[in-house]
Amino acid sequence: NPVRGIAEEVEDLLQTRLENLPEYKDRSIHVKPSLHGVRIEVDDRSYDGIGDVDDPAIHALLLDVVREWENRQ
């Protein structure tokens, strides 16, 4: 399943990025595969995509991580 691969690769990049961002050390932010693409989990909330994430800083972080992933392809 190619979507699963993309979600896992983006998740790996995200977790690496979060390790270097102390302001997020107490937060739980994950990208998971879902039937319709990816699911974003932020703390105890789940979103159907990056566009649905209502925290502007986390939204921008996720977009940046996806851009980094795209640049590696």
Side-chain angles (χ1 to χ4, degrees):
N1 182 338
V3 169
R4 181 172 166 76
I6 292 168
E8 289 173 338
E9 290 175 14
V10 172
E11 168 73 0
D12 287 346
L13 289 174
L14 173 63
Q15 296 311 314
T16 299
R17 183 81 66 94
L18 290 172
E19 287 170 11
N20 300 310
L21 295 171
E23 62 269 34
Y24 293 113
K25 72 175 170 52
D26 296 325
R27 307 290 300 271
S28 172
I29 308 171
H30 294 283
V31 177
K32 303 278 180 70
S34 79
L35 292 174
H36 308 292
V38 299
R39 189 174 80 245
I40 311 297
E41 294 179 358
V42 179
D43 301 321
D44 54 358
R45 296 183 64 184
S46 185
Y47 302 92
D48 290 328
I50 293 172
D52 294 334
V53 176
D54 51 9
D55 181 313
I58 293 175
H59 182 252
L61 171 68
L62 290 165
L63 288 177
D64 197 52
V65 170
V66 168
R67 200 171 300 122
E68 179 184 345
W69 177 84
E70 289 172 344
N71 289 339
R72 291 171 178 236
Q73 301 312 300

